């Protein structure tokens, strides 16, 4: 649960709720809301296949800002796409808010933490991921792999510091993900 407003959640996360930082977060939320996704894969029998979808189906924004002294009469809402909502129900991502707070401001560390939180608790066996695959997924802001690897390593160390039960090996070929407990302590019961 994020809270009654973006301002409430940002305050809990220790992020400033005014000025430039708030505008940037609101802008990023608007970009995610407008995002269209295209998934492409090889289908062995039929060739390449693709599917287009969105995260947010629609919504309403009634306020441009949150005034802490003004009672909110209306609630901003978003309606998730049916497929995204179903995916969240079938494959929830257990993210521990205190961990997110500790790595806030480190975007790649957050990305790696969420990726590990999504993947590790459902693995049944060790899964190797090559540096090339990691670069394709996380390296969009790097020109080449040799500049990406050390930055990913730093982000991985930060993510592992806040997800101590994560079992991840690193070597010259990439990383190996091992089945691990979820990052939220109370979710360990199965």
């Amino acid at each position: 649960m994020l809270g009654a407003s973006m301002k409430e959640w940002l305050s809990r996360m220790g992020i400033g709720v005014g000025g430039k930082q708030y505008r940037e977060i609101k802008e990023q939320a608007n970009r995610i809301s407008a995002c269209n996704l295209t998934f492409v894969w090889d289908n062995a029998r039929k060739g390449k296949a693709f599917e287009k979808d969105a995260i947010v189906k629609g919504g309403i924004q009634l306020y441009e800002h949150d005034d802490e002294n003004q009672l909110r009469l209306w609630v901003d809402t978003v309606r998730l796409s049916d497929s995204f909502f179903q995916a969240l129900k079938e494959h929830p991502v257990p993210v521990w808010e205190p961990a997110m707070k500790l790595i806030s401001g480190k975007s790649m560390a957050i990305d790696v933490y969420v990726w590990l939180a999504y993947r590790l608790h459902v693995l049944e066996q060790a899964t190797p991921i090559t540096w090339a695959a990691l670069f394709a997924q996380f390296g969009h802001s790097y020109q080449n792999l040799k500049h990406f690897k050390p930055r990913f390593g730093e982000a991985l160390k930060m993510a592992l510091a806040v997800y101590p039960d994560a079992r991840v090996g690193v070597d010259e070929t990439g990383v190996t993900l091992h089945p691990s407990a979820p990052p939220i302590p109370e979710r360990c019961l199965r």
Side-chain angles (χ1 to χ4, degrees):
M1 179 71 165
L2 295 179
S5 68
M6 184 187 324
K7 183 176 183 175
E8 180 185 323
W9 182 71
L10 292 174
S11 293
R12 274 200 334 266
M13 296 301 291
I15 299 172
V17 292
K20 182 181 177 196
Q21 194 167 20
Y22 185 82
R23 284 191 306 274
E24 288 174 350
I25 291 169
K26 186 169 178 75
E27 163 119 4
Q28 189 64 29
N30 288 337
R31 287 180 183 188
I32 290 169
S33 294
C35 180
N36 289 308
L37 307 170
T38 302
F39 299 95
V40 180
W41 64 92
D42 284 324
N43 185 326
R45 295 183 197 154
K46 300 177 185 175
K48 287 202 182 282
F50 73 94
E51 185 171 331
K52 293 184 177 190
D53 205 348
I55 295 171
V56 175
K57 183 77 171 171
I60 185 168
Q61 296 175 331
L62 298 172
Y63 292 100
E64 282 299 312
H65 57 82
D66 274 349
D67 181 351
E68 65 187 48
N69 299 316
Q70 178 68 36
L71 179 65
R72 290 177 55 118
L73 301 175
W74 305 98
V75 177
D76 295 346
T77 61
V78 295
R79 191 177 72 227
L80 300 177
S81 71
D82 292 338
S83 58
F84 185 67
F85 181 72
Q86 191 62 33
L88 287 176
K89 284 177 29 179
E90 292 173 6
H91 309 285
V93 180
V95 176
W96 196 40
E97 195 171 284
M100 295 290 286
K101 184 175 180 178
L102 288 169
I103 57 175
S104 68
K106 311 279 193 269
S107 59
M108 187 183 284
I110 292 170
D111 289 347
V112 172
Y113 171 81
V114 171
W115 175 65
L116 294 174
Y118 176 73
R119 296 284 310 268
L120 295 180
H121 75 282
V122 296
L123 288 178
E124 295 181 7
Q125 62 187 21
T127 305
I129 313 288
T130 66
W131 283 113
L134 292 167
F135 182 63
Q137 184 168 352
F138 295 101
H140 62 278
S141 61
Y142 295 91
Q143 192 101 11
N144 56 49
L145 184 59
K146 74 177 180 180
H147 294 119
F148 165 76
K149 283 171 72 171
R151 298 292 181 251
F152 183 86
E154 293 168 11
L156 179 62
K157 284 179 186 174
M158 285 185 243
L160 293 174
V162 297
Y163 185 177
D165 290 334
R167 296 180 46 234
V168 179
V170 181
D171 62 26
E172 62 280 345
T173 63
V175 301
T176 301
L177 306 179
H178 298 274
S180 304
I184 300 178
E186 59 270 18
R187 297 284 172 106
C188 290
L189 300 174
R190 284 199 171 201

